[in-house]
Amino acid sequence: MKYEIVIGLEVHAELKTNSKIFCGCSTHFGAEQNTNVCPVCLGLPGSLPVLNQRAVEFAIRAGLALNCEIAEFSKFDRKNYYYPDLPKDYQISQYDLPVCKNGYLDIEVNGETKRIGITRIHLEEDAGKLVHPQTITTSNYAYVDYNRTGVPLVEIVSEPDIRTPEEARAYLTKLRSILEYCDVSDCKMEEGSLRCDANISLRPAGADYFGTKAELKNMNSFKAVQKGLEYEAMRQEDVLADGGAIRQETRTWDEARGVTLSMRSKEQAHDYRYFPDPDLVPLLISREQVEEVRTSLPELPDARKDRLVEQDGLSSYDAEVITASRAVADYYDAVKKLVDDPKTIANWIMGDMMKQLNTRGLSITASPVTPVHLAEMIQLLNKGTISGKIAKNVFEEMFVSGKKPAEIVKEQGLVQISDESAIIAIVEQVIAANPQSVADFRAGKEKAIGFLVGQVMKQSKGRANPEMVNKLLKERL
Amino acid sequence: MAMPPARLVVLLVQSTLHGHFSSGIIIFIMVKYVLLRKVKRMKLTREDVLNVALLSRLEIRDDEIENVTRQFNDIMQHVDRLNQVNTENVRPTAHALPVCNVLRPDVRQTSLPREKAMANAPLAEDGFFRVPKIVEG
Ligand SMILES: [Zn+2]
């Protein structure tokens, strides 16, 4: 039988407020353990939580950016469960009246646009962090750091509209991009400020009901989400093909072994017994406030991509890559203000820049090559002062030294040779030294000219103007 | 979607009980449990009591169960009476007090010194709270 995969994602994103959602403790990542804690976030008796207004504003921002309806009336509820990372034995969350609902985002997979529904976005507090001693299997205890307890989160729940692991990854990439654009979350999976759980089930292709789902956890990168879902879909298909039944359960992705494993836990533990938190009063969100937030929203990835395609003439693919990150898109815009050559700018950013940044683990905002430097280099290139090949060296040198391109070109004598007589001299030398290649070319082996061009470029230390080399060589063959 | 007055009662009970662990909270948790699970009014059994006790991590001695079960059923009977009130045109109640939008600006305040934060921890090590091993399953 042919099966269809049905996936829904739950994404938790930490909001980048200064203080926690219900108390004034710092949200700073990486502080010494248990130093950003107070009676409220530790759940000490007699303390009262008070809602952080910026957390609410950020949730509204995220909601509007994801095309959601913003609730006029919202409230907070207690989700009850016992785990050592939860000092109060309940998490303050939202149950039936979340801040946002009924939104969507558009993804593009294999050249086709698809709309993925967003069921809801609610505000909640993060839990603490369990630290296991090195010997997790033998040790009889765990350590708890409550610094993260009470850091504001939005939980973004998608509709079960996702049909392939690849779509799941595209959804996450787009979601992260949107959250980053509206500046509400750092979205760093490695620091845990963005986390993703997935619900996945299979059903016969074309069926109008859902199969039993498994919840997948512990996927620590977008790639892991895709791989975990691919494995889980395969596993479920095998079970069903053998006439078995899928168990509704939570499974964990084991990255090292590349498999999902059942997390056996007591059934009762899933009875969260939500009820309204009497410590917190309801939240009324005025339409004026919503409009205020709406007008403060920046240009979002889709709109920005369209602008790059329609106004700058970039291909859809290039525009997608450039606008995936707001910082990269801002960099692109800054260069374009100085030199109006969109395609060349995009190529340099997507090629040499990304390569250098990735090798050094830098983000584009920390690039030693500023937009001004890149713009100047492109101008040198367009004027013919340097060749494309030399430009690659200049770029690398700019990246290492932070020097201006003109300075590097001058210091290292990299100015392109466009003087015909100088090039002719080298061309004639190369023809004389390589009779075999010359004969090959004359006998019809077109490819032989590539070798000869290469020799000329080598002799000129890459400085000869390649177009002129081609032309002058052909004239003499 | 009017909130049944029973829910309101629960909230009021919760408000008054908040922060105190009286024996009443056992009953309270049971009421909550039953309401939220939308259990049809059948007589609650010993198993229901034990399940609520497990969910709440409360120990109920064998010789207490019978009494607690009876009290639980008495309270549910009262809740049943409240549920008969027509709430068709009553707005759902989200909070017992007529107050909304209590917010604070996003400003950092000094946290507790760690020694103070951990002063009552039964077990601690290297600035961490120490807890028994967590067993899945
Ligand atoms: Zn705190």
Side-chain angles (χ1 to χ4, degrees):
Chain A
M1 193 187 305
K2 184 111 181 66
Y3 291 101
E4 179 179 49
I5 307 173
V6 177
I7 298 168
L9 296 178
E10 288 170 14
V11 171
H12 287 90
E14 280 184 1
L15 299 175
K16 52 188 212 190
T17 52
N18 294 316
S19 63
K20 292 187 179 179
I21 185 167
F22 298 120
C23 65
C25 289
S26 167
T27 52
H28 179 68
F29 179 81
E32 251 196 71
Q33 60 269 26
N34 295 309
T35 52
N36 292 341
V37 293
C38 75
V40 173
C41 54
L42 286 175
L44 300 187
S47 61
L48 269 181
V50 185
L51 182 58
N52 182 336
Q53 62 189 34
R54 184 166 292 161
V56 175
E57 186 199 312
F58 281 178
I60 297 172
R61 272 173 92 80
L64 290 175
L66 293 165
N67 310 294
C68 288
E69 297 162 21
I70 309 301
E72 293 188 38
F73 185 92
S74 185
K75 71 169 168 64
F76 289 87
D77 303 274
R78 293 185 179 181
K79 178 180 179 178
N80 301 277
Y81 66 95
Y82 293 85
Y83 209 67
D85 63 5
L86 200 62
K88 296 194 296 292
D89 289 339
Y90 61 83
Q91 178 192 29
I92 304 177
S93 180
Q94 300 195 286
Y95 184 55
D96 56 341
L97 297 170
V99 174
C100 321
K101 60 178 187 183
N102 298 337
Y104 63 83
L105 62 74
D106 292 330
I107 58 169
E108 205 171 297
V109 173
N110 300 326
E112 279 188 36
T113 303
K114 181 171 174 181
R115 180 155 294 181
I116 308 293
I118 288 168
T119 316
R120 56 184 279 154
I121 304 176
H122 67 252
L123 272 168
E124 61 184 27
E125 57 180 348
D126 207 346
K129 214 172 153 180
L130 288 176
V131 182
H132 298 282
Q134 288 121 332
T135 51
I136 180 171
T137 41
T138 53
S139 168
N140 287 317
Y141 50 86
Y143 297 126
V144 198
D145 173 7
Y146 287 124
N147 281 347
R148 205 178 64 181
T149 306
V151 168
L153 292 177
V154 277
E155 179 175 328
I156 302 166
V157 183
S158 89
E159 289 287 301
D161 290 344
I162 299 166
R163 290 290 170 273
T164 65
E166 197 188 355
E167 284 181 15
R169 188 174 179 168
Y171 169 87
L172 285 173
T173 308
K174 185 50 126 348
L175 184 59
R176 175 175 64 182
S177 167
I178 291 171
L179 294 176
E180 193 204 15
Y181 267 67
C182 51
D183 213 19
V184 299
S185 174
D186 284 332
C187 296
K188 287 183 185 158
M189 264 191 133
E190 64 279 12
E191 287 183 9
S193 62
L194 192 75
R195 307 193 281 274
C196 174
D197 299 333
N199 288 308
I200 172 169
S201 62
L202 260 53
R203 65 181 175 190
D208 58 356
Y209 58 88
F210 292 121
T212 308
K213 68 187 179 190
E215 190 184 5
L216 214 53
K217 286 182 178 294
N218 195 31
M219 298 166 293
N220 296 321
S221 67
F222 288 3
K223 205 170 141 199
V225 171
Q226 187 173 349
K227 277 163 61 189
L229 287 169
E230 277 164 4
Y231 175 88
E232 181 59 18
M234 230 171 52
R235 185 192 72 85
Q236 292 191 10
E237 191 171 344
D238 286 350
V239 172
L240 293 171
D242 286 349
I246 302 300
R247 263 180 46 182
Q248 178 149 0
E249 61 180 352
T250 303
R251 299 180 68 86
T252 179
W253 168 242
D254 186 327
E255 177 84 36
R257 291 163 60 190
V259 296
T260 64
L261 302 167
S262 178
M263 288 168 82
R264 280 176 302 276
S265 52
K266 294 189 182 76
E267 294 278 315
Q268 289 94 336
H270 294 298
D271 193 336
Y272 292 129
R273 295 154 293 143
Y274 283 96
F275 69 94
D277 192 325
D279 284 347
L280 289 156
V281 296
L283 186 63
L284 289 179
I285 303 170
S286 74
R287 297 306 93 181
E288 290 74 36
Q289 191 190 354
V290 173
E291 287 319 304
E292 216 171 277
V293 175
R294 198 191 300 277
T295 46
S296 77
L297 278 181
E299 185 185 30
L300 293 168
D302 285 344
R304 197 148 182 180
K305 182 187 161 189
D306 290 348
R307 172 163 67 82
L308 265 53
V309 170
E310 281 154 29
Q311 290 181 18
D312 296 358
L314 290 188
S315 71
S316 173
Y317 175 82
D318 289 359
E320 176 95 32
V321 175
I322 296 286
T323 56
S325 145
R326 184 179 177 179
V328 174
D330 285 348
Y331 189 99
Y332 165 89
D333 277 347
V335 181
K336 203 192 150 258
K337 254 192 199 149
L338 302 166
V339 48
D340 191 17
D341 189 351
K343 182 67 196 155
T344 310
I345 301 169
N347 283 343
W348 280 96
I349 292 176
M350 288 160 38
D352 294 61
M353 176 67 86
M354 295 288 188
K355 204 174 103 196
Q356 294 285 351
L357 292 173
N358 288 342
T359 326
R360 290 169 169 77
L362 291 175
S363 73
I364 200 160
T365 45
S367 168
V369 179
T370 64
V372 176
H373 288 180
L374 182 56
E376 282 177 9
M377 197 201 77
I378 292 172
Q379 278 160 348
L380 291 176
L381 193 59
N382 289 350
K383 276 191 294 188
T385 311
I386 54 173
S387 67
K389 197 164 185 297
I390 292 291
K392 280 181 146 348
N393 299 337
V394 172
F395 186 89
E396 197 174 337
E397 181 62 28
M398 286 199 295
F399 209 99
V400 174
S401 66
K403 283 184 186 163
K404 286 167 83 87
E407 205 179 322
I408 295 168
V409 168
K410 205 173 144 202
E411 267 176 22
Q412 308 195 359
L414 299 173
V415 176
Q416 177 164 257
I417 305 171
S418 299
D419 170 18
E420 206 171 270
S421 59
I423 297 177
I424 289 173
I426 307 172
V427 164
E428 285 177 347
Q429 255 183 38
V430 167
I431 287 176
N434 297 283
Q436 186 58 50
S437 298
V438 173
D440 286 351
F441 181 78
R442 286 180 178 146
K445 272 198 192 168
E446 296 268 332
K447 278 185 181 165
I449 197 164
F451 174 77
L452 295 169
V453 171
Q455 289 303 304
V456 176
M457 293 311 289
K458 200 174 156 191
Q459 288 223 10
S460 72
K461 299 197 170 68
R463 290 166 56 209
N465 180 326
E467 279 163 37
M468 290 178 69
V469 172
N470 256 306
K471 179 176 146 268
L472 295 169
L473 253 175
K474 279 188 181 152
E475 282 172 12
R476 278 158 186 77
L477 287 172
Chain B
M1 205 200 70
M3 171 177 276
R7 285 284 286 277
L8 183 59
V9 168
V10 169
L11 287 179
L12 289 168
V13 173
Q14 167 68 14
S15 303
T16 41
L17 287 179
H18 180 64
H20 306 278
F21 260 102
S22 67
S23 61
I25 203 154
I26 303 178
I27 302 297
F28 165 66
I29 288 165
M30 289 180 175
V31 174
K32 204 170 69 194
Y33 165 77
V34 172
L35 281 176
L36 295 177
R37 289 201 124 191
K38 298 189 181 66
V39 171
K40 285 267 173 273
R41 278 297 287 124
M42 291 176 290
K43 247 193 160 352
L44 294 155
T45 62
R46 183 190 165 85
E47 279 63 47
D48 293 319
V49 172
L50 290 175
N51 189 35
V52 171
L54 172 69
L55 283 170
S56 316
R57 302 298 189 272
L58 292 170
E59 190 181 11
I60 300 178
R61 291 194 317 270
D62 275 354
D63 63 329
E64 289 174 324
I65 295 176
E66 196 186 327
N67 193 26
V68 170
T69 311
R70 203 189 60 241
Q71 289 181 347
F72 197 177
N73 274 304
D74 286 350
I75 288 180
M76 292 315 297
Q77 237 168 40
H78 182 62
V79 171
D80 266 352
R81 287 228 302 278
L82 291 171
N83 270 334
Q84 285 161 15
V85 179
N86 183 354
T87 55
E88 198 65 29
N89 298 311
V90 181
R91 276 196 65 187
T93 305
H95 199 276
L97 301 174
V99 181
C100 282
N101 291 11
V102 177
L103 296 146
R104 44 171 274 272
D106 182 25
V107 175
R108 282 183 190 167
Q109 274 166 354
T110 320
S111 296
L112 274 183
R114 189 160 68 194
E115 314 80 68
K116 272 202 157 167
M118 309 200 61
N120 293 326
L123 292 166
E125 200 176 314
D126 288 340
F128 286 103
F129 291 88
R130 217 179 89 177
V131 296
K133 183 180 181 177
I134 303 110
V135 189
E136 292 286 348

